[in-house]
Amino acid sequence: MPVRFCSPRFLVFIFLISAIPIAYIISEERAVPTTHVFHYHSAGFFRECAKWDDQGRRFLVSFLEGGVGEIRVPDDYAPGPGDVVLKEVTVVKDFDLAGNSSLGIAIDRLRNRLLVVVADLLGNRYSGLAAYDLSSWKRLFLTRLSGPSDEKSFADDVAIDAGGNAYVTDAKASKIWKVGADGEFLSIIRNPLFTPKQWYKTLVALNGIVYHPDGYLIVIHTFSGNLFKIDLAKGYEVKLIEVVGGSLVFGDGLDLISPTKLVVAGNPSGRLVESSDGWETASVVGKFKGPIHRLSTAATVKDGKVYLNHLVGMGYPKKTHALVEAVF
Ligand SMILES: *[C@@H]1O[C@H](CO)[C@@H](O)[C@H](O)[C@H]1NC(C)=O
């Protein structure tokens, strides 16, 4: 037991939660948001990732207790004061994966499916990638990435390339697993650049990942704030993207707004990063402060607007989560 609860990620999580005084939380909860917020009632307190499904007109969210939910946005939804609180409906509850968390998710539009990263949050003894049909929610594959006899791992986020290959980050051992379009395990991408020299910067390693339409991955290393470009056509050549204008430390989930604009969720809630040279260099050009106490963990783009997922739901008896529009 003590070993499990010593998982660095869990400790960091507890540290972040306990560092925020209750009075502050109450005042933050009472504050009127400065941007639009989709609120939804949920069965759970923790939702790690949210992605907007444009065709389904719904947000898809991953449950830290395991599973996936959908939050449908009605056609006549009118944003503004007193707008309706939406409702989360569970669409995936996979009994084969009981005891594991669902983390990063990615919509594979071409193949009409959702990829879901699965990991054992406390023990770091299981990591996997599952795919579910977006219409029937039938499971299409479940690929084991690591087990009890492998090095400790924590699968965290996923991106899909044009051919349907998936790339899953390991926030614990700082590597990337590659899984083929049919769920076959292909390879592991490692690089010395993925491991900072200072031990305290290794506690939460590779995290948010996106696929850029020009054929490379962009990945963030949370505790160092390093942003990497990984060229898929050049044998996974890894380059450190030179970032000016601010730090990306505590960066978590990523999403591309356009080929030159990237949003980084985390703390601060949202950072806007731009590049004009194909992500060799980039600059932090905007910051957005949302409800910090709810911990922003993922970003998604809905009809051209950025929405930030927040890990922590609040309220009693009904837990309410917030998808907060980030304006830079
Ligand atoms: C996570 O799922 C795997 C695969 O089914 C299972 O072997 C493992 O025991 C689960 N982990 C936990 C912590 O229950």
Side-chain angles (χ1 to χ4, degrees):
M1 233 26 189
V3 177
R4 296 184 57 145
F5 285 94
C6 278
S7 140
R9 200 180 157 91
F10 185 67
L11 288 179
V12 167
F13 176 67
I14 292 300
F15 169 77
L16 287 174
I17 297 273
S18 62
I20 305 165
I22 301 289
Y24 175 75
I25 293 180
I26 292 170
S27 78
E28 284 284 301
E29 280 296 298
R30 283 193 175 153
V32 180
T34 55
T35 59
H36 175 247
V37 182
F38 283 105
H39 284 111
Y40 65 94
H41 287 312
S42 159
F45 274 115
F46 303 110
R47 297 290 175 259
E48 214 270 338
C49 187
K51 291 290 167 191
W52 173 246
D53 171 12
D54 196 45
Q55 253 172 43
R57 304 306 292 168
R58 59 188 171 180
F59 288 98
L60 298 171
V61 297
S62 61
F63 302 172
L64 208 66
E65 72 271 26
V68 176
E70 68 170 14
I71 295 117
R72 287 193 175 273
V73 178
D75 290 339
D76 59 355
Y77 177 88
D83 51 16
V84 287
V85 177
L86 303 174
K87 202 174 165 338
E88 171 194 283
V89 174
T90 301
V91 290
V92 173
K93 197 82 206 168
D94 199 327
F95 290 101
D96 294 340
L97 293 166
N100 291 280
S101 298
S102 301
L103 298 138
I105 56 177
I107 294 170
D108 184 349
R109 177 57 58 206
L110 223 58
R111 294 161 198 83
N112 193 49
R113 66 191 184 184
L114 184 73
L115 295 191
V116 181
V117 172
V118 179
D120 159 22
L121 177 70
L122 302 182
N124 297 156
R125 287 199 177 86
Y126 179 83
S127 286
L129 180 69
Y132 301 92
D133 186 281
L134 274 173
S135 312
S136 67
W137 292 108
K138 244 177 57 191
R139 192 173 76 201
L140 304 173
F141 65 74
L142 170 61
T143 306
R144 196 181 93 145
L145 301 173
S146 84
S149 57
D150 299 313
E151 68 177 344
K152 285 213 169 182
S153 300
F154 186 77
D156 193 287
D157 199 8
V158 59
I160 311 159
D161 71 15
N165 299 299
Y167 302 85
V168 180
T169 52
D170 179 355
K172 173 98 185 155
S174 219
K175 61 180 187 279
I176 296 169
W177 292 281
K178 181 176 182 181
V179 174
D182 297 320
E184 67 282 18
F185 177 84
L186 293 179
S187 59
I188 293 180
I189 306 169
R190 294 184 194 266
N191 195 285
L193 286 176
F194 293 160
T195 309
K197 291 196 176 61
Q198 303 90 334
W199 68 269
Y200 55 86
K201 286 189 181 171
T202 62
L203 291 180
V204 180
L206 294 187
N207 195 331
I209 185 167
V210 286
Y211 173 71
H212 191 284
D214 289 343
Y216 48 87
L217 301 167
I218 300 174
V219 189
I220 192 155
H221 184 287
T222 295
F223 267 36
S224 68
N226 287 337
L227 198 62
F228 298 107
K229 173 180 178 178
I230 304 175
D231 205 321
L232 300 179
K234 290 192 199 154
Y236 310 114
E237 178 196 55
V238 178
K239 280 189 188 164
L240 178 65
I241 299 171
E242 192 192 313
V243 179
V244 297
S247 148
L248 293 179
V249 170
F250 297 132
D252 194 338
L254 308 178
D255 209 355
L256 280 171
I257 305 172
S258 75
T260 59
K261 285 186 190 167
L262 178 78
V263 57
V264 179
N267 187 7
S269 313
R271 280 168 280 195
L272 179 64
V273 188
E274 281 189 17
S275 173
S276 53
D277 59 3
W279 296 94
E280 296 289 314
T281 66
S283 36
V284 181
V285 295
K287 283 183 193 154
F288 171 78
K289 182 187 169 289
I292 303 277
H293 61 291
R294 283 180 177 253
L295 303 179
S296 149
T297 50
T300 189
V301 181
K302 174 187 182 294
D303 303 322
K305 293 177 175 167
V306 174
Y307 280 87
L308 300 175
N309 175 70
H310 287 76
L311 180 68
V312 186
M314 303 245 160
Y316 183 84
K318 276 186 176 167
K319 304 170 229 352
T320 306
H321 284 267
L323 295 159
V324 180
E325 185 190 351
V327 177
F328 299 98

